[in-house]
Amino acid sequence: MGSDSLVLFARVLGLVIAVVVVYWFLLLKSTFAPRQGLTSTTIHALLMVIGFILVSGEAILIHRWLPGSNKTKKAVHLWLQGVALVSAVIGMWTKFRYESGVFFNFYSIHSWMGLLSVSLFAVQWVTGFLSFWHRGEVRETRSTFLPWHVFLGLYTYGLAIATAETGLLVKLTHLQTKRNLPRRCTESVVLNGVGLGLVLLCGIVITAAVLPKYQSRSGNDKLVYSSQDRPKCLAS
């Protein structure tokens, strides 16, 4: 399976996850108390799953499918990552603001992993902006920083997925112990399905990001990059 197929699969899977999450929030009664409208818990989950994880995953894949110059791709990538960062910050603030203060809520591994992933994401966004958009940076500096930028970006994305998994586990445990939610019911299936979907999405996005974008058609061909970053295939 080539990178183009993985990108398509990732986007379809992300759309499915978004639809399932919205269905969970709007139609299932035990989790989000629909009579109260949009609660802090609802906004937190929506912004973290859809606004943070899914949008940042799409930003990672921008360089794989978006046509145009590298400058255009970097601009769209930066803009989408900025949207993801704002969503994450608002999501965390909304959750902690209305539940006994900020520090009171840092009692679980989910809380601390969330703080770490958002903090790394913010540092990654700022350093990426300064390194790839600031005209004072020399080309050698950007070339040196690029592998670390890619690694930290994928690591932070994986950490965000892991944080979401712990959040789903906390929610499911709370529902089963405090609200007597049956282990085999629609809501349990939806929660587990979202968790499995996020794990699968993480693997697909990271694989699509690290696979070579251009591959030779035969084993005797070699791929050579020109100064304009366009591949030229030469026979050996």
Side-chain angles (χ1 to χ4, degrees), residues 48-74:
M48 287 303 187
V49 175
I50 298 177
F52 184 35
I53 292 177
L54 297 186
V55 173
S56 64
E58 181 66 23
I60 292 174
L61 299 176
I62 280 296
H63 293 280
R64 291 294 173 174
W65 66 268
L66 185 68
S69 64
N70 286 333
K71 186 176 181 179
T72 300
K73 295 178 182 179
K74 288 191 293 183

Side-chain angles (χ1 to χ4, degrees), residues 137-158:
E137 294 291 340
V138 297
R139 186 179 184 88
E140 290 76 11
T141 303
R142 294 197 299 268
S143 300
T144 302
F145 178 71
L146 179 59
W148 290 103
H149 179 73
V150 173
F151 168 75
L152 290 176
L154 296 179
Y155 173 80
T156 304
Y157 180 73

Side-chain angles (χ1 to χ4, degrees), residues 171-184 188 192:
K171 174 60 68 176
L172 187 58
T173 302
H174 173 76
L175 292 175
Q176 292 177 349
T177 57
K178 302 297 182 180
R179 300 189 183 181
N180 298 319
L181 185 74
R183 294 185 176 181
R184 292 181 177 87
S188 296
N192 290 322

Side-chain angles (χ1 to χ4, degrees), residues 78 122-134 145 149:
L78 184 70
V123 172
Q124 175 80 347
W125 191 88
V126 172
T127 55
F129 175 80
L130 294 178
S131 298
F132 295 102
W133 284 93
H134 193 273
F145 178 71
H149 179 73

Side-chain angles (χ1 to χ4, degrees), residues 6-164:
L6 289 175
V7 170
L8 177 61
F9 191 17
R11 301 181 77 182
V12 172
L13 181 58
L15 179 61
V16 171
I17 293 174
V19 171
V20 173
V21 168
V22 173
Y23 165 78
W24 174 33
F25 295 155
L26 295 181
L27 300 181
L28 298 180
K29 305 297 183 181
S30 59
T31 301
F32 297 105
R35 294 180 182 179
Q36 301 178 9
L38 286 177
T39 64
S40 60
T41 302
T42 307
I43 298 174
H44 172 78
L46 279 171
L47 290 175
M48 287 303 187
V49 175
I50 298 177
F52 184 35
I53 292 177
L54 297 186
V55 173
S56 64
E58 181 66 23
I60 292 174
L61 299 176
I62 280 296
H63 293 280
R64 291 294 173 174
W65 66 268
L66 185 68
S69 64
N70 286 333
K71 186 176 181 179
T72 300
K73 295 178 182 179
K74 288 191 293 183
V76 177
H77 174 81
L78 184 70
W79 182 81
L80 286 177
Q81 295 289 45
V83 172
L85 178 59
V86 171
S87 299
V89 171
I90 296 177
M92 291 186 64
W93 180 84
T94 304
K95 176 68 174 177
F96 298 149
R97 171 67 177 80
Y98 294 102
E99 293 191 10
S100 304
V102 175
F103 295 102
F104 179 82
N105 291 276
F106 285 95
Y107 60 88
S108 66
I109 187 66
H110 172 68
S111 303
W112 288 105
M113 288 177 65
L115 178 63
L116 178 61
S117 61
V118 174
S119 299
L120 285 176
F121 193 89
V123 172
Q124 175 80 347
W125 191 88
V126 172
T127 55
F129 175 80
L130 294 178
S131 298
F132 295 102
W133 284 93
H134 193 273
R135 294 182 179 274
E137 294 291 340
V138 297
R139 186 179 184 88
E140 290 76 11
T141 303
R142 294 197 299 268
S143 300
T144 302
F145 178 71
L146 179 59
W148 290 103
H149 179 73
V150 173
F151 168 75
L152 290 176
L154 296 179
Y155 173 80
T156 304
Y157 180 73
L159 181 61
I161 295 287
T163 303

